[in-house]
Amino acid sequence: MVFDVRRLDIYRKVPKDLTQPTYSGAVVSILCCVFMLFLFLSELTGFIATEIVNELYVDDPDKSSGGKIDVSLNISLPNLHCDLVGLDIQDEMGRHEVGHIDNSMKVPLNNGYGCRFEGEFTINKVPGNFHVSTHSATAQPQSPDMTHIIHKLAFGEKLQVHHVQGAFNALGGADRLASNPLASHDYILKIVPTVYEDLSGKQRFSYQYTVANKEYVAYSHTGRIIPAIWYRYDLSPITVKYTERRQPFYRFITTICAIIGGTFTVAGIIDSCIFTASEAWKKIQIGKMS
């Protein structure tokens, strides 16, 4: 006796002459196809797009930096001559540098009465400060005007990623032109290490920071203290990591199968209910007529 493999078929076919097309079934079928197409395109867009996942952990991510952080500063002092403007750096490791000039540039403003300072330098990964002042000038002015505009203050590598919204240049655009010309400015910075890892696994290291500021006129027993623009920083032990991820292909296929199967099942139930109700209504009408 030969076993008929067709008996294992769980998808039994119904002859076409035993099926009955209906207008309601056609409407349900069209809506079903449109709905499945919409869900398919939505899932396809999500599969192609890159997702950015962020996480927090405690560690120093950039151990190859030698304990250094790159800093980029761009600031304009429209009422202070370039000969008076200087950058001083000091920290808790004993560094004390007055008049830092490496990788820096001074651009005269307002016919030489003002100055734009642009500099790139490194700081140690310990609490400290750097400040723009007249401390390195050969002769101190009587009333230095420290009103300023900060165009840029950034730490580490520049990240040009549209989907990452972070405080990488939190002080960019800070305008203190209306402040007291003789006042000092303290910017208290909390620097947060940030890592960005793309799909290839390449990592880029940058830093975000939060800022609080105060403005004051300082005095000592000898009189008024020469004002300066202070950036006092400390590092957060928390690291923020952004990772690019793409939806796995198997998950995309699973979702598409679920969309097709689920839509057909629900549509079949709806069509069956509509057909049953219409048939019942026809029988009621026939009964009334008879």
Side-chain angles (χ1 to χ4, degrees):
M1 182 178 179
V2 180
F3 179 74
D4 190 357
V5 181
R6 292 179 300 175
R7 299 171 70 179
L8 300 177
D9 184 8
I10 61 176
Y11 301 103
R12 301 298 177 92
K13 311 303 183 294
V14 179
K16 288 186 177 180
D17 55 348
L18 297 180
T19 60
Q20 178 182 351
T22 61
Y23 287 107
S24 61
V27 173
V28 171
S29 299
I30 293 173
L31 294 177
C32 174
C33 292
V34 172
F35 183 69
M36 283 193 297
L37 179 62
F38 170 75
L39 293 181
F40 172 78
L41 293 177
S42 299
E43 286 297 323
L44 181 62
T45 303
F47 174 70
I48 296 174
T50 301
E51 179 187 12
I52 297 180
V53 180
N54 62 76
E55 58 181 311
L56 303 177
Y57 61 92
V58 179
D59 194 11
D60 179 10
D62 191 9
K63 296 181 176 64
S64 62
S65 64
K68 304 287 186 180
I69 300 176
D70 295 326
V71 184
S72 179
L73 175 64
N74 189 330
I75 183 172
S76 291
L77 297 93
N79 300 310
L80 194 63
H81 197 277
C82 282
D83 292 339
L84 302 174
V85 176
L87 176 68
D88 309 327
I89 307 172
Q90 59 188 46
D91 59 37
E92 292 186 359
M93 291 184 65
R95 181 182 183 183
H96 191 178
E97 186 175 349
V98 179
H100 179 88
I101 59 175
D102 295 338
N103 298 320
S104 62
M105 178 176 62
K106 298 177 184 179
V107 181
L109 301 175
N110 299 336
N111 297 321
Y113 290 101
C115 185
R116 178 171 180 151
F117 178 86
E118 301 178 18
E120 294 184 355
F121 53 96
T122 60
I123 57 175
N124 295 315
K125 291 183 177 180
V126 295
N129 74 79
F130 52 91
H131 51 277
V132 177
S133 66
T134 61
H135 297 163
S136 61
T138 54
Q140 293 298 318
Q142 291 296 321
S143 300
D145 188 335
M146 302 306 293
T147 55
H148 61 278
I149 298 176
I150 302 174
H151 306 288
K152 179 183 179 183
L153 176 60
F155 300 87
E157 184 179 351
K158 184 178 181 180
L159 294 181
Q160 292 182 334
V161 184
H162 299 293
H163 301 290
V164 174
Q165 301 295 330
F168 297 99
N169 185 23
L171 277 174
D175 188 336
R176 299 292 182 268
L177 295 180
S179 61
N180 186 344
L182 302 177
S184 290
H185 299 266
D186 263 15
Y187 295 100
I188 314 299
L189 313 177
K190 193 71 171 181
I191 302 175
V192 182
T194 303
V195 183
Y196 187 87
E197 182 177 321
D198 59 22
L199 290 173
S200 64
K202 180 183 177 182
Q203 291 186 338
R204 286 180 284 172
F205 302 97
S206 186
Y207 297 85
Q208 303 181 64
Y209 61 92
T210 59
V211 59
N213 69 284
K214 63 178 180 179
E215 174 187 333
Y216 59 94
V217 178
Y219 292 91
S220 68
H221 62 280
T222 59
R224 181 171 50 82
I225 298 176
I226 298 175
I229 304 171
W230 297 83
Y231 302 92
R232 307 181 192 273
Y233 62 87
D234 193 5
L235 273 80
S236 169
I238 303 297
T239 296
V240 180
K241 183 178 182 181
Y242 298 99
T243 306
E244 286 186 354
R245 292 181 184 175
R246 185 163 286 165
Q247 182 180 351
F249 183 70
Y250 73 87
R251 186 179 299 174
F252 172 70
I253 294 298
T254 303
T255 305
I256 295 302
C257 292
I259 289 174
I260 295 174
T263 305
F264 268 120
T265 301
V266 174
I269 295 173
I270 294 175
D271 180 58
S272 177
C273 292
I274 294 175
F275 180 76
T276 302
S278 64
E279 290 297 311
W281 178 254
K282 289 179 181 178
K283 291 181 180 179
I284 293 174
Q285 295 298 321
I286 294 174
K288 288 183 178 180
M289 291 177 62
S290 60

